Amino acid sequence: MGVLQSSKVVKARALLEKSHVDLEQFSLGNLVGRITELSAAPSAPVLSFISLIIREAQAHEEPVVWISACESVFFPPDFDANGVDLDALPVVWAPDLKTAVRAAEHVLRSNAFGLVVLDLHPHAIIDQGRLGKLARFADLHRVAFLFIAQQEKAVSFSLGSIISLRFHSYRSALGENAFQCVLEACKDKKTAPGWEFSERFYGPDGLC
C-alpha cells in the first residue's frame, strides 16, 4: 500500500520500520530489510509463525510471494484458517535450488513485494556470494526476506554468516488440540540473541 507524501509514494513497510519497533518481536517491522532464517526441524511450528507474518503483510497491503525449492509447500487450509488471503499469495515452484535462488533475486530486484519467502529443501547450500547479493537487495528495497531451512534433525546448521536474524522453534502440547509454540532467536545482529516469541496455535481435530 502506498501513502502519498510530498509528491512521493512511501510503502507501508517503510512506515512500519520507521515506527517504534520492538526488536524482540516476530513482526514485519522487525524483519524489513533483513535476511531471516527459520530452522524447520521435524514437527517445528515454523509454518504457523510464517502464516502470521504473511497475514500481517497482507493487512498492510504489502504483496507477498512464496518461492519453493521443495517437492511440497504449505497446506493451504491451514493458512486459510490462520487468516492468510490465499488468492493474494502467488507461489513460484522452482525445479531446483539454483532456479529458486535466481527467482528470489529477480523478485527482490523488482521491488514489487514487501515479503519474500524462500522454502529450501534439506541440506540446501547457497553460495555466499549469491546470499550476499540477496541481502543487499533486501536492504536496498527494504524487503523482508525469509528463508525456511528444512532440517532433518533438531540440531541444525545455518545458511551463513550473512544471515541477520535466525530462529529455531519448538512446541509443547497444552491439551485439547492446543499447542504453545515458541520461536527462539539464536542469532540477531540488531540486538542480543536468546529472546523468544511465543504464540498459541490449535491443531486439527484429533491431533494430540
Side-chain angles (χ1 to χ4, degrees), residues 179-199:
F179 295 86
Q180 193 66 33
C181 300
V182 178
L183 278 179
E184 181 180 353
C186 46
K187 177 182 181 180
D188 191 340
K189 290 187 176 181
K190 284 190 175 182
T191 188
W195 59 269
E196 295 182 347
F197 178 78
S198 179
E199 190 78 20

mmCIF file of all heavy atoms in Angstrom, residues 179-199:
data_model
loop_
_atom_site.group_PDB
_atom_site.id
_atom_site.type_symbol
_atom_site.label_atom_id
_atom_site.label_comp_id
_atom_site.label_asym_id
_atom_site.label_seq_id
_atom_site.Cartn_x
_atom_site.Cartn_y
_atom_site.Cartn_z
ATOM 1 N N PHE A 179 -1.450 -25.905 21.306
ATOM 2 C CA PHE A 179 -0.002 -26.006 21.410
ATOM 3 C C PHE A 179 0.580 -24.626 21.706
ATOM 4 O O PHE A 179 0.167 -23.630 21.102
ATOM 5 C CB PHE A 179 0.607 -26.526 20.106
ATOM 6 C CG PHE A 179 0.204 -27.931 19.755
ATOM 7 C CD1 PHE A 179 -0.975 -28.171 19.062
ATOM 8 C CD2 PHE A 179 0.990 -29.007 20.124
ATOM 9 C CE1 PHE A 179 -1.359 -29.460 18.738
ATOM 10 C CE2 PHE A 179 0.614 -30.300 19.807
ATOM 11 C CZ PHE A 179 -0.564 -30.531 19.113
ATOM 12 N N GLN A 180 1.511 -24.579 22.643
ATOM 13 C CA GLN A 180 2.264 -23.355 22.877
ATOM 14 C C GLN A 180 3.513 -23.432 22.010
ATOM 15 O O GLN A 180 4.354 -24.318 22.192
ATOM 16 C CB GLN A 180 2.647 -23.207 24.349
ATOM 17 C CG GLN A 180 3.141 -21.819 24.714
ATOM 18 C CD GLN A 180 2.030 -20.774 24.593
ATOM 19 O OE1 GLN A 180 0.862 -21.073 24.844
ATOM 20 N NE2 GLN A 180 2.388 -19.560 24.214
ATOM 21 N N CYS A 181 3.624 -22.529 21.055
ATOM 22 C CA CYS A 181 4.714 -22.569 20.084
ATOM 23 C C CYS A 181 5.667 -21.402 20.331
ATOM 24 O O CYS A 181 5.226 -20.281 20.619
ATOM 25 C CB CYS A 181 4.158 -22.510 18.665
ATOM 26 S SG CYS A 181 3.040 -23.888 18.278
ATOM 27 N N VAL A 182 6.953 -21.681 20.215
ATOM 28 C CA VAL A 182 7.971 -20.695 20.565
ATOM 29 C C VAL A 182 8.996 -20.569 19.446
ATOM 30 O O VAL A 182 9.455 -21.571 18.890
ATOM 31 C CB VAL A 182 8.696 -21.087 21.875
ATOM 32 C CG1 VAL A 182 9.800 -20.079 22.204
ATOM 33 C CG2 VAL A 182 7.705 -21.191 23.025
ATOM 34 N N LEU A 183 9.325 -19.330 19.120
ATOM 35 C CA LEU A 183 10.468 -19.023 18.267
ATOM 36 C C LEU A 183 11.573 -18.484 19.162
ATOM 37 O O LEU A 183 11.350 -17.544 19.926
ATOM 38 C CB LEU A 183 10.114 -17.955 17.228
ATOM 39 C CG LEU A 183 9.385 -18.369 15.953
ATOM 40 C CD1 LEU A 183 9.116 -17.132 15.106
ATOM 41 C CD2 LEU A 183 10.169 -19.397 15.158
ATOM 42 N N GLU A 184 12.757 -19.056 19.068
ATOM 43 C CA GLU A 184 13.900 -18.566 19.841
ATOM 44 C C GLU A 184 14.938 -17.992 18.887
ATOM 45 O O GLU A 184 15.366 -18.656 17.943
ATOM 46 C CB GLU A 184 14.524 -19.684 20.664
ATOM 47 C CG GLU A 184 15.702 -19.205 21.502
ATOM 48 C CD GLU A 184 16.338 -20.308 22.320
ATOM 49 O OE1 GLU A 184 15.789 -21.429 22.335
ATOM 50 O OE2 GLU A 184 17.390 -20.054 22.931
ATOM 51 N N ALA A 185 15.322 -16.755 19.121
ATOM 52 C CA ALA A 185 16.322 -16.097 18.279
ATOM 53 C C ALA A 185 17.712 -16.566 18.697
ATOM 54 O O ALA A 185 18.220 -16.171 19.743
ATOM 55 C CB ALA A 185 16.212 -14.585 18.405
ATOM 56 N N CYS A 186 18.316 -17.432 17.887
ATOM 57 C CA CYS A 186 19.659 -17.907 18.215
ATOM 58 C C CYS A 186 20.735 -17.031 17.576
ATOM 59 O O CYS A 186 21.925 -17.198 17.860
ATOM 60 C CB CYS A 186 19.830 -19.367 17.805
ATOM 61 S SG CYS A 186 19.247 -19.789 16.170
ATOM 62 N N LYS A 187 20.312 -16.084 16.726
ATOM 63 C CA LYS A 187 21.230 -15.090 16.167
ATOM 64 C C LYS A 187 20.429 -13.843 15.843
ATOM 65 O O LYS A 187 19.347 -13.922 15.275
ATOM 66 C CB LYS A 187 21.902 -15.618 14.897
ATOM 67 C CG LYS A 187 22.819 -14.600 14.219
ATOM 68 C CD LYS A 187 23.425 -15.162 12.944
ATOM 69 C CE LYS A 187 24.346 -14.156 12.281
ATOM 70 N NZ LYS A 187 24.954 -14.697 11.036
ATOM 71 N N ASP A 188 20.949 -12.686 16.227
ATOM 72 C CA ASP A 188 20.274 -11.427 15.928
ATOM 73 C C ASP A 188 21.323 -10.325 15.884
ATOM 74 O O ASP A 188 21.942 -10.004 16.897
ATOM 75 C CB ASP A 188 19.213 -11.109 16.984
ATOM 76 C CG ASP A 188 18.304 -9.961 16.571
ATOM 77 O OD1 ASP A 188 18.692 -9.178 15.684
ATOM 78 O OD2 ASP A 188 17.203 -9.851 17.133
ATOM 79 N N LYS A 189 21.539 -9.754 14.698
ATOM 80 C CA LYS A 189 22.567 -8.734 14.537
ATOM 81 C C LYS A 189 22.134 -7.363 15.053
ATOM 82 O O LYS A 189 22.963 -6.460 15.157
ATOM 83 C CB LYS A 189 22.970 -8.625 13.061
ATOM 84 C CG LYS A 189 23.756 -9.826 12.545
ATOM 85 C CD LYS A 189 24.268 -9.595 11.135
ATOM 86 C CE LYS A 189 25.134 -10.749 10.663
ATOM 87 N NZ LYS A 189 25.666 -10.523 9.293
ATOM 88 N N LYS A 190 20.846 -7.198 15.367
ATOM 89 C CA LYS A 190 20.368 -5.907 15.860
ATOM 90 C C LYS A 190 20.318 -5.831 17.378
ATOM 91 O O LYS A 190 20.368 -4.752 17.951
ATOM 92 C CB LYS A 190 18.979 -5.599 15.288
ATOM 93 C CG LYS A 190 18.994 -5.151 13.834
ATOM 94 C CD LYS A 190 17.629 -4.623 13.423
ATOM 95 C CE LYS A 190 17.663 -4.049 12.017
ATOM 96 N NZ LYS A 190 16.342 -3.491 11.616
ATOM 97 N N THR A 191 20.170 -6.973 18.018
ATOM 98 C CA THR A 191 20.101 -6.999 19.471
ATOM 99 C C THR A 191 20.654 -8.335 19.952
ATOM 100 O O THR A 191 21.047 -9.179 19.152
ATOM 101 C CB THR A 191 18.649 -6.795 19.960
ATOM 102 O OG1 THR A 191 18.640 -6.648 21.378
ATOM 103 C CG2 THR A 191 17.764 -7.964 19.570
ATOM 104 N N ALA A 192 20.698 -8.529 21.251
ATOM 105 C CA ALA A 192 21.266 -9.767 21.792
ATOM 106 C C ALA A 192 20.375 -10.955 21.448
ATOM 107 O O ALA A 192 19.146 -10.863 21.542
ATOM 108 C CB ALA A 192 21.426 -9.650 23.299
ATOM 109 N N PRO A 193 20.963 -12.081 21.043
ATOM 110 C CA PRO A 193 20.161 -13.274 20.766
ATOM 111 C C PRO A 193 19.629 -13.883 22.059
ATOM 112 O O PRO A 193 19.992 -13.463 23.157
ATOM 113 C CB PRO A 193 21.162 -14.205 20.079
ATOM 114 C CG PRO A 193 22.488 -13.789 20.628
ATOM 115 C CD PRO A 193 22.398 -12.303 20.833
ATOM 116 N N GLY A 194 18.764 -14.869 21.900
ATOM 117 C CA GLY A 194 18.221 -15.565 23.060
ATOM 118 C C GLY A 194 16.798 -15.175 23.401
ATOM 119 O O GLY A 194 16.149 -15.840 24.211
ATOM 120 N N TRP A 195 16.287 -14.103 22.781
ATOM 121 C CA TRP A 195 14.914 -13.714 23.083
ATOM 122 C C TRP A 195 13.936 -14.664 22.403
ATOM 123 O O TRP A 195 14.272 -15.342 21.442
ATOM 124 C CB TRP A 195 14.643 -12.266 22.683
ATOM 125 C CG TRP A 195 14.844 -11.910 21.241
ATOM 126 C CD1 TRP A 195 15.988 -11.455 20.662
ATOM 127 C CD2 TRP A 195 13.867 -11.965 20.195
ATOM 128 N NE1 TRP A 195 15.799 -11.221 19.320
ATOM 129 C CE2 TRP A 195 14.505 -11.522 19.008
ATOM 130 C CE3 TRP A 195 12.531 -12.330 20.135
ATOM 131 C CZ2 TRP A 195 13.839 -11.445 17.783
ATOM 132 C CZ3 TRP A 195 11.859 -12.258 18.915
ATOM 133 C CH2 TRP A 195 12.518 -11.813 17.768
ATOM 134 N N GLU A 196 12.734 -14.723 22.931
ATOM 135 C CA GLU A 196 11.731 -15.658 22.435
ATOM 136 C C GLU A 196 10.429 -14.943 22.097
ATOM 137 O O GLU A 196 10.090 -13.923 22.699
ATOM 138 C CB GLU A 196 11.450 -16.750 23.473
ATOM 139 C CG GLU A 196 12.638 -17.652 23.758
ATOM 140 C CD GLU A 196 12.301 -18.742 24.760
ATOM 141 O OE1 GLU A 196 11.229 -18.634 25.415
ATOM 142 O OE2 GLU A 196 13.081 -19.700 24.886
ATOM 143 N N PHE A 197 9.744 -15.498 21.124
ATOM 144 C CA PHE A 197 8.415 -15.027 20.744
ATOM 145 C C PHE A 197 7.485 -16.228 20.805
ATOM 146 O O PHE A 197 7.759 -17.269 20.203
ATOM 147 C CB PHE A 197 8.432 -14.436 19.336
ATOM 148 C CG PHE A 197 7.089 -13.964 18.853
ATOM 149 C CD1 PHE A 197 6.566 -12.754 19.278
ATOM 150 C CD2 PHE A 197 6.344 -14.736 17.975
ATOM 151 C CE1 PHE A 197 5.324 -12.322 18.838
ATOM 152 C CE2 PHE A 197 5.101 -14.311 17.525
ATOM 153 C CZ PHE A 197 4.588 -13.098 17.956
ATOM 154 N N SER A 198 6.395 -16.098 21.550
ATOM 155 C CA SER A 198 5.520 -17.239 21.808
ATOM 156 C C SER A 198 4.101 -16.957 21.326
ATOM 157 O O SER A 198 3.617 -15.823 21.397
ATOM 158 C CB SER A 198 5.511 -17.551 23.308
ATOM 159 O OG SER A 198 4.663 -18.639 23.592
ATOM 160 N N GLU A 199 3.455 -17.995 20.835
ATOM 161 C CA GLU A 199 2.081 -17.874 20.350
ATOM 162 C C GLU A 199 1.373 -19.210 20.559
ATOM 163 O O GLU A 199 1.991 -20.276 20.473
ATOM 164 C CB GLU A 199 2.077 -17.504 18.867
ATOM 165 C CG GLU A 199 0.734 -17.128 18.307
ATOM 166 C CD GLU A 199 0.300 -15.718 18.668
ATOM 167 O OE1 GLU A 199 1.181 -14.897 19.019
ATOM 168 O OE2 GLU A 199 -0.906 -15.441 18.606
#
